Amino acid sequence: MELVRVEQLVKRYPKAQVNAVDGVSFEIEAGEVFGLLGPNGAGKTTTVGVLTTRVRPTEGHASIDGIDVVADPVGVRAQLAVVPQRSNLDRAISIRDNLVFHAAYHGVPAKVRETRADELLEQFGLADRSSEKPDFFSGGQSQRVMIARALMHRPKVLFLDEPTTGLDPAARLFVWDRLRELRDAGVTLLLTTHDMHEAAALSHRVGIMDRGKLLALDTPEALMRSLAGETTLELAADQPADGTLVDALAALPGVERVEQLQGSPEDGDAFRVRLYLSGDAAPLVAPAAAVLGEQGLALNDVRLGTATLEDVFIDLTGRSLR
Amino acid sequence: MSAAAVQLDPISRGEVFLAVLRRDVYVTWKELPAFLAQVILQPLFLLFVFGKVLGSLGYTQHGYADLLFPGLLGLTVVLTSIQALAFPLVAEFGWTREIEDRLPAPMPTSYVAAEKVLFAMLRAFVATLIMIPIGYAILGHVPWQWKNVGWFVAALVLGALVGAGIGLLIGTLVQPQRINIVFSLVFTPLLFTGCTQYPWPSLARLRWFQVITAGNPMTYVSEMMRGALTPAVPHIQPWICLVVALGAIILLMTVGVRGFYRRAID
């Protein structure tokens, strides 16, 4: 069942030169975890803003569970919860009260919100701090409180804007674990991130955004497969070489594409290439070294890798994610 | 735990509104001493120094306290309402972003603004009504006319709405880093041109100042209070005050709510 629908969405802010969101379309199924991956300023937060009724679209349509965000914003608000990039916890009240009042804003009955608050505080490792105000909470702790708060009214869709940006690695893993639990419990999530590991680790499908446009949309595996190969072999040699060598490498069996990279002569690798392969990389090391040898080059660095979403992004935009 | 989406019972917008109001009342209740100190100290000292001290020393005429008291009620209701709305709103739109948890609640954005207005009014009512026993304590008596209680209530409600309108305007238009300067620039003139310490008709001898005070909506609240509590003192006719105050409220609210929408929705 399709829960979120975005059609030809355009958002242009007053006085802006370009559209912040420029003709984006996608759908999210119930129970799906959907990641929007892209650098800062790609239009991810604006897209989420339209779906959460905080941003008015310039053109196009967006709906949640069939309810249009412009025609019935109140109806849409009843379906969703938002975990923002920066803490917006209520500082005047304890974190438990933050959860309980949030539930009250969404019409959860009094008894239910008390027990649910205790359950969620327990699950998010916050039970022992439940009576504290959020003033002195770290970024990771605030993030946990905000996710717990968002779950208080059992939203149909949970929007998470850069859920782990600025968190230390341990806090990040904790948040990832909680999000995986939600995914396994069938909660529909839309998360934005500029971290390809996060997108790949959590999402069923990833939309890659840049400059307001959705450039690609598929499962992380399919996106990485869309690059010539699933695995890569990176080689460096001591002397510069010309296109003949690249052609020779491309002719090796299993090599789907060769990308010449910027070498750094001061480190001794005047020549650096990345081979995208259809199969395993290891068996190709020796034949590739032999090709280099035939051209009089000595191999001085070998790196085996698998293609990442970052590679997909670079392939689509010619730029890196950061 | 099962966090799977569960269809909630449909909730009425009124219930959401009340839940948000309940949060504000809850926070105020928990900080009651701070709230009372914040709203009472200024009128208390004004009443004490101008009504009691200067009178006892013979610097003011007999009866000045009676003239001052209704003005102070007008001042308290307007200023408390402004403060109760503007300060939190600037913070919530600016750095705490707390309002982001209420804006996605299932009620229209205008209800969020209306809740702010209603809550500011409630605070202003409490602060103003407390001035009556305080007046008794300091002055020994306060001017009161049961037959004019309707005008007193009207002045109270209109004063709170005027203050809420100014607060909404400040709260949505002012950048957080400028809030201090705006308060100095707005509060001090409001405080001294609102006919709190003098009745408006008596300013006829100081015509230019009378014209200035006519531009302050608080003047009409003070004068209406005077008409209700001390009808013997010359004052602007209450129905004129009513019309002007209503006009000011409509203007302030229209601009303020528009500002609220601009801040709430991009």
Side-chain angles (χ1 to χ4, degrees), chain B residues 4-28:
Chain B
V6 171
Q7 180 65 56
L8 285 170
D9 289 337
I11 173 182
S12 79
R13 296 161 181 209
E15 282 177 79
V16 181
F17 180 88
L18 286 179
V20 175
L21 183 65
R22 203 157 44 76
R23 178 264 171 207
D24 282 344
V25 173
Y26 173 75
V27 170
T28 301

Side-chain angles (χ1 to χ4, degrees), chain A residues 11 54-56 74 77 86 88-93 97 101-102 104-107 113 123 154 156 187, chain B residues 1-3 7 11 16 22-23 26 96-98 100-109 264-266:
Chain A
K11 176 63 186 181
R54 284 299 303 279
V55 176
R56 216 174 270 131
V74 178
R77 286 170 199 166
R86 278 176 39 194
N88 63 3
L89 292 169
D90 193 333
R91 300 179 194 196
I93 54 179
D97 283 342
F101 271 108
H102 173 89
Y105 303 159
H106 288 267
R113 51 188 191 240
Q123 189 197 351
R154 307 252 161 110
K156 280 192 189 155
V187 180
Chain B
M1 80 141 219
S2 111
Q7 180 65 56
I11 173 182
V16 181
R22 203 157 44 76
R23 178 264 171 207
Y26 173 75
T96 73
R97 296 173 176 242
E98 281 167 17
E100 286 179 3
D101 191 37
R102 273 148 251 170
L103 289 173
M107 63 175 167
T109 303
I265 299 170
D266 278 329

Side-chain angles (χ1 to χ4, degrees), chain A residues 282-302:
Chain A
L284 244 102
V285 177
V291 171
L292 293 180
E294 284 165 19
Q295 304 268 335
L297 273 70
L299 186 65
N300 61 7
D301 189 21
V302 177

Side-chain angles (χ1 to χ4, degrees), chain A residues 6-26:
Chain A
V6 175
E7 274 176 290
Q8 290 302 317
L9 188 69
V10 175
K11 176 63 186 181
R12 178 189 280 269
Y13 287 104
K15 293 177 201 156
Q17 296 289 313
V18 291
N19 293 339
V21 174
D22 195 11
V24 166
S25 305
F26 60 85

Side-chain angles (χ1 to χ4, degrees), chain B residues 193-216:
Chain B
T193 63
C195 289
T196 298
Q197 305 88 344
Y198 39 82
W200 190 80
S202 68
L203 289 177
R205 277 174 281 173
L206 214 58
R207 188 69 188 164
W208 65 270
F209 191 58
Q210 193 177 35
V211 172
I212 288 177
T213 53
N216 182 346

